[in-house]
Amino acid sequence: MTMEEILWKHILSVRQKSPLVHNITNFVVMNNTANALLAVGASPIMAHALAEVKEMVNISSASVINIGTLDEIWIKSMLIAAQEANAIQKPWVLDPVGAGASSFRNETLSQLLNYHPTVIRGNASEIIALAKVNKATTKGVDSTAASLEAIDAAKNLHEQYGAIICISGETDIIVDGEKSLFIKNGHVLMTKVTGLGCSASALIGAFIACIENKTEAVAAAMALLAISGEIAVQESNGPGSLQINLIDKLYNITKEEFMTHIKIS
Amino acid sequence: MTMEEILWKHILSVRQKSPLVHNITNFVVMNNTANALLAVGASPIMAHALAEVKEMVNISSASVINIGTLDEIWIKSMLIAAQEANAIQKPWVLDPVGAGASSFRNETLSQLLNYHPTVIRGNASEIIALAKVNKATTKGVDSTAASLEAIDAAKNLHEQYGAIICISGETDIIVDGEKSLFIKNGHVLMTKVTGLGCSASALIGAFIACIENKTEAVAAAMALLAISGEIAVQESNGPGSLQINLIDKLYNITKEEFMTHIKIS
Amino acid sequence: MTMEEILWKHILSVRQKSPLVHNITNFVVMNNTANALLAVGASPIMAHALAEVKEMVNISSASVINIGTLDEIWIKSMLIAAQEANAIQKPWVLDPVGAGASSFRNETLSQLLNYHPTVIRGNASEIIALAKVNKATTKGVDSTAASLEAIDAAKNLHEQYGAIICISGETDIIVDGEKSLFIKNGHVLMTKVTGLGCSASALIGAFIACIENKTEAVAAAMALLAISGEIAVQESNGPGSLQINLIDKLYNITKEEFMTHIKIS
């Protein structure tokens, strides 16, 4: 099988296995995140109470922790969830929203990294900020391109914490130490819809819940979202209808659509 | 008048009276819930501050308490609201999201039940879990069908707490002690949109706020949502557009559409 | 340039400058608010943690504080943000959702007013309640029309706190002490979509972040939203599709559409 066929097989696998995915995420995107997970065939749980968060990690096949609207109370839930996921070897995704924007976020991220996320997904500036937070020396100090700096940051984060790093952007880049994968799908209008990065992290959660090869799982999730967005844009008048059409396409994308559009290397 | 005509009359009544409906609900569905209430003609209030929740119950015609994203802080608001509604005889709806998923949820539900919800709406597994939480002995231990077990659980809950129980699913079942009503509307694609159960509970809140006969009120709300969904599916490409088209149809459904589709027994 | 042309120029200015707008807003509207800000070209941040809210005010060009789902914890963030915005002279918008509905809201609003919002936007009853909260004597005690009473309330609030007051409704009224502007755009179906008032406040935030003349900034934001809604209604089957089409139109409205529809005096 080609890589493209492998990724499509993984999409079918998520549809079939319908994994339970636990989310502690931000208030802005909870509805969309739940709908994106449902659309690809997963079952979302949103739960953050201190008293039950361990149980939620245990009954789910993966957890997703997103610090978008972080506060002093929710931090505790995030740390308990991350600690539990690490302790019982459940895969989990860290979405470091706004890394670098405040010392509060940086310190929280520093603590979360100690619980070894399976995957970290952020945009280039978040990945770069995250690497700096943890004093990982950046190799590429002379890099002029932000994407090169982000790849260096991702490599450092991977070496230090063992996580697969996904840098999302015009080209999505997946760094796992051995190689880097590049997915050149998606559309610029997607940046005008709030929280599609958060949806990406949630979909990664659904895929690492089911798929043994975690790098392929991340690639399948990112390709699915980017291609669905690309197709949905064609039927959209703006970012409002794109948000809706994207959910529809995540749900009804066909193998032919996927194979025709995918650009991975 | 036939039952079908009575239910349509109740839908018109909500549109005309525009009841104020107070909600303490989960973060995932707040936007959709508010829009669903507006679409049927009600006025939503979302308010949970300890300092004002009693006033909100008092100025509203019904309250809806949904434990979807329950935590240690929001529990207090829910208990105050339920206690106040019970004390001043305002009708209120309990949506026991995730009953059985954690002891934290079960204990919270046990406390809320003490304040005698007018209606409890959940899916079969939630209603079964809720009956077990409160040691109501299940009559139908030999039942092989989940729906039969759920009906037994509903009857027990009704006997113990006096609430009307609505079990939502492929067939919605309303149990009030005297008889059971069965509504066979809706579409399977509705399960792929997050929070339509929560919308159902909120609409029940709007209907029990206005309608004297509470069983008819629940039936009207459930039939309206299920039929609107059924019609909306026909114009939808997937769960994204269904979420939108459902709100439109709740708003503009005609008597003819309602009467043509309704299957109640 | 005519006033209409000036307002259009301001819309282009926001698109070009893409201001960072900090929001502490309610759970119901966070997604829509973020999408409305993105659609007009601004960059939204939603952040409320006590530990970082000052930094967020500092890195943003304006803040928006909306008390819709106010509680005892979020109040603290709102007060810190308002105090900081006032201290460093960053423009900020107050949206007094539910003013008058509880003493808790009134007291909170009374405290927030001390930090001199640049703009206050509410509906007529909220503006009237807000003026009463602060014992501003209402001049127009004999006014029979609610809108006249609201304009008197707005004038009193402006005199006492220096804020520009925007009363939204069938006609949007902007009061800044010297004159009043009246915008007669929009459509009644917009009242059936939750949180469009909150979107209005957020867009005002984006415009006062960029535009020197704050009265013109408010007028441009209100005209843009009302006209976009008016046009979007024509393509909508109900409030569900209106919510989506409105975001699309905020994004792709043309000068011709804007100039053809605007009714300002």
Side-chain angles (χ1 to χ4, degrees):
Chain A
M1 275 201 280
T2 63
M3 174 61 91
E4 289 81 355
E5 285 169 332
I6 289 170
L7 299 188
W8 177 253
K9 189 192 66 180
H10 292 332
I11 291 167
L12 295 181
S13 179
V14 171
R15 285 186 188 171
Q16 191 190 348
K17 294 181 184 168
S18 193
L20 203 57
V21 180
H22 169 239
N23 300 269
I24 303 181
T25 188
N26 70 72
F27 301 123
V28 183
V29 305
M30 281 202 196
N31 187 270
N32 300 55
T33 298
N35 278 327
L37 285 168
L38 286 167
V40 303
S43 292
I45 301 182
M46 271 67 182
H48 66 284
L50 299 177
E52 71 175 4
V53 73
K54 269 193 184 187
E55 281 166 275
M56 293 303 179
V57 172
N58 274 274
I59 63 174
S60 303
S61 298
S63 288
V64 179
I65 299 179
N66 173 310
I67 68 163
T69 52
L70 186 69
D71 68 21
E72 287 76 5
I73 294 168
W74 285 60
I75 280 181
K76 293 178 196 163
S77 309
M78 293 177 187
L79 290 171
I80 294 172
Q83 185 175 32
E84 182 70 6
N86 188 43
I88 64 171
Q89 299 291 308
K90 281 275 169 80
W92 73 281
V93 183
L94 174 63
D95 189 331
V97 180
S102 73
S103 49
F104 176 63
R105 283 173 194 258
N106 292 351
E107 285 160 23
T108 304
L109 290 168
S110 175
Q111 291 180 71
L112 287 167
L113 284 171
N114 290 331
Y115 299 117
H116 297 289
T118 313
V119 182
I120 303 170
R121 190 218 56 83
N123 60 34
S125 74
E126 287 163 345
I127 296 300
I128 292 168
L130 195 62
K132 284 179 184 159
V133 159
N134 286 279
K135 325 271 186 293
T137 42
T138 312
K139 288 177 189 166
V141 287
D142 292 329
S143 303
T144 45
S147 64
L148 286 182
E149 191 184 349
I151 292 175
D152 278 336
K155 287 180 179 167
N156 288 330
L157 285 167
H158 174 74
E159 281 171 25
Q160 201 167 350
Y161 298 102
I164 298 170
I165 312 298
C166 176
I167 308 161
S168 58
E170 198 179 326
T171 298
D172 297 323
I173 304 167
I174 301 163
V175 172
D176 75 351
E178 301 188 9
K179 62 191 172 308
S180 296
L181 290 174
F182 298 86
I183 300 172
K184 295 187 185 182
N185 288 103
H187 189 283
V188 67
L189 188 61
M190 295 172 76
T191 64
K192 293 295 178 185
V193 179
T194 196
L196 291 192
C198 306
S199 292
S201 296
L203 296 190
I204 289 171
F207 279 74
I208 61 173
C210 297
I211 314 297
E212 193 63 29
N213 183 317
K214 302 309 180 198
T215 304
E216 289 175 9
V218 176
M222 296 305 292
L224 174 57
L225 184 68
I227 294 170
S228 296
E230 206 174 296
I231 299 173
V233 164
Q234 297 168 13
E235 298 161 5
S236 301
N237 297 316
S241 44
L242 175 54
Q243 186 174 32
I244 302 309
N245 294 332
L246 173 57
I247 296 289
D248 283 354
K249 190 47 65 185
L250 286 173
Y251 178 76
N252 66 27
I253 191 169
T254 62
K255 182 177 180 180
E256 194 188 340
E257 287 176 313
F258 185 79
M259 298 303 276
T260 309
H261 284 81
I262 189 166
K263 291 181 202 157
I264 188 168
S265 60
Chain B
M1 276 201 280
T2 63
M3 175 62 90
E4 290 81 355
E5 285 169 332
I6 290 170
L7 299 188
W8 179 252
K9 189 193 66 182
H10 292 333
I11 291 166
L12 295 181
S13 180
V14 171
R15 285 186 188 170
Q16 190 190 351
K17 292 180 183 168
S18 193
L20 203 57
V21 181
H22 170 238
N23 301 268
I24 303 182
T25 189
N26 69 72
F27 301 123
V28 184
V29 305
M30 281 200 196
N31 187 269
N32 300 55
T33 298
N35 278 328
L37 285 168
L38 285 168
V40 302
S43 293
I45 301 183
M46 272 65 182
H48 67 284
L50 299 176
E52 71 174 5
V53 73
K54 269 194 183 187
E55 282 167 275
M56 293 304 179
V57 172
N58 273 275
I59 64 173
S60 303
S61 298
S63 287
V64 179
I65 298 180
N66 173 310
I67 68 163
T69 52
L70 186 69
D71 68 22
E72 288 76 5
I73 294 169
W74 285 60
I75 279 181
K76 294 178 196 162
S77 308
M78 293 177 188
L79 290 171
I80 294 172
Q83 184 175 34
E84 182 69 7
N86 187 44
I88 64 171
Q89 298 291 305
K90 282 276 169 78
W92 73 281
V93 184
L94 174 62
D95 189 330
V97 180
S102 73
S103 50
F104 176 63
R105 281 172 197 259
N106 291 351
E107 285 160 24
T108 304
L109 289 168
S110 175
Q111 292 180 69
L112 287 166
L113 284 170
N114 290 332
Y115 299 118
H116 297 288
T118 314
V119 183
I120 303 170
R121 190 217 57 82
N123 60 35
S125 74
E126 287 162 347
I127 297 299
I128 291 168
L130 195 62
K132 285 180 182 157
V133 159
N134 285 279
K135 326 268 186 294
T137 42
T138 312
K139 288 175 187 169
V141 288
D142 292 329
S143 303
T144 45
S147 64
L148 286 183
E149 191 185 349
I151 292 175
D152 278 335
K155 286 180 179 168
N156 288 329
L157 284 167
H158 173 75
E159 280 171 27
Q160 201 168 349
Y161 298 103
I164 299 170
I165 314 298
C166 176
I167 308 160
S168 58
E170 198 178 327
T171 298
D172 297 323
I173 305 169
I174 299 163
V175 173
D176 75 351
E178 302 189 6
K179 61 189 175 307
S180 295
L181 290 175
F182 299 84
I183 300 172
K184 296 187 184 181
N185 288 104
H187 189 283
V188 68
L189 188 61
M190 295 171 76
T191 64
K192 295 292 179 185
V193 179
T194 196
L196 291 192
C198 306
S199 292
S201 296
L203 296 190
I204 289 171
F207 280 74
I208 63 173
C210 297
I211 314 296
E212 193 63 30
N213 183 316
K214 301 309 180 199
T215 304
E216 290 175 10
V218 176
M222 295 307 291
L224 174 57
L225 184 69
I227 294 170
S228 297
E230 207 175 294
I231 299 173
V233 164
Q234 297 169 14
E235 299 161 4
S236 300
N237 296 317
S241 43
L242 175 54
Q243 185 173 33
I244 301 309
N245 293 333
L246 173 56
I247 296 289
D248 282 354
K249 189 47 66 184
L250 285 173
Y251 178 77
N252 65 28
I253 190 170
T254 63
K255 183 178 181 181
E256 196 187 339
E257 287 177 313
F258 185 79
M259 298 302 277
T260 309
H261 284 82
I262 189 165
K263 293 181 201 157
I264 188 168
S265 61
Chain C
M1 277 200 279
T2 63
M3 176 62 91
E4 289 80 356
E5 285 169 333
I6 290 169
L7 299 188
W8 178 254
K9 189 192 67 181
H10 291 333
I11 291 167
L12 296 182
S13 179
V14 171
R15 286 184 186 171
Q16 189 191 350
K17 292 180 185 169
S18 193
L20 203 57
V21 181
H22 170 238
N23 299 268
I24 303 182
T25 188
N26 69 72
F27 301 123
V28 183
V29 305
M30 279 198 198
N31 188 269
N32 301 55
T33 298
N35 278 327
L37 285 168
L38 285 168
V40 303
S43 294
I45 300 182
M46 271 65 182
H48 66 284
L50 299 176
E52 71 175 4
V53 72
K54 268 194 184 187
E55 282 166 274
M56 293 304 180
V57 171
N58 273 275
I59 62 173
S60 303
S61 298
S63 287
V64 179
I65 298 179
N66 173 309
I67 67 163
T69 52
L70 186 68
D71 68 21
E72 287 77 4
I73 293 169
W74 285 60
I75 280 181
K76 292 178 197 162
S77 307
M78 293 177 188
L79 290 171
I80 294 172
Q83 185 176 32
E84 182 70 7
N86 187 42
I88 64 171
Q89 298 291 307
K90 282 274 169 80
W92 73 280
V93 183
L94 174 62
D95 189 331
V97 180
S102 73
S103 50
F104 176 63
R105 281 171 197 260
N106 291 350
E107 285 160 25
T108 303
L109 289 169
S110 175
Q111 292 179 69
L112 286 167
L113 283 170
N114 290 330
Y115 299 117
H116 297 289
T118 314
V119 182
I120 302 170
R121 190 218 57 84
N123 60 34
S125 74
E126 287 163 347
I127 297 298
I128 291 167
L130 194 63
K132 284 179 184 158
V133 160
N134 285 279
K135 325 268 186 296
T137 42
T138 312
K139 286 176 189 168
V141 288
D142 293 328
S143 304
T144 45
S147 65
L148 285 183
E149 192 185 349
I151 292 174
D152 277 337
K155 286 181 179 169
N156 287 329
L157 284 167
H158 173 75
E159 281 171 25
Q160 200 166 349
Y161 298 102
I164 297 170
I165 314 297
C166 176
I167 308 161
S168 58
E170 197 179 327
T171 297
D172 297 322
I173 305 168
I174 300 163
V175 172
D176 75 352
E178 300 188 9
K179 62 191 173 307
S180 295
L181 291 175
F182 299 85
I183 300 172
K184 296 187 182 180
N185 288 103
H187 190 282
V188 68
L189 189 61
M190 295 172 76
T191 64
K192 295 293 178 185
V193 179
T194 196
L196 291 192
C198 305
S199 292
S201 296
L203 296 190
I204 290 172
F207 279 74
I208 61 173
C210 297
I211 314 296
E212 193 63 30
N213 183 317
K214 302 308 181 198
T215 304
E216 290 175 9
V218 176
M222 296 305 292
L224 174 57
L225 184 68
I227 294 169
S228 296
E230 207 175 296
I231 299 173
V233 164
Q234 298 168 12
E235 298 161 4
S236 301
N237 296 317
S241 44
L242 175 55
Q243 186 174 30
I244 301 309
N245 293 333
L246 173 55
I247 296 289
D248 282 354
K249 190 47 67 185
L250 286 173
Y251 178 76
N252 65 28
I253 191 170
T254 62
K255 182 176 181 182
E256 195 186 340
E257 287 176 313
F258 185 80
M259 299 302 277
T260 309
H261 285 81
I262 188 165
K263 293 182 202 155
I264 188 168
S265 61

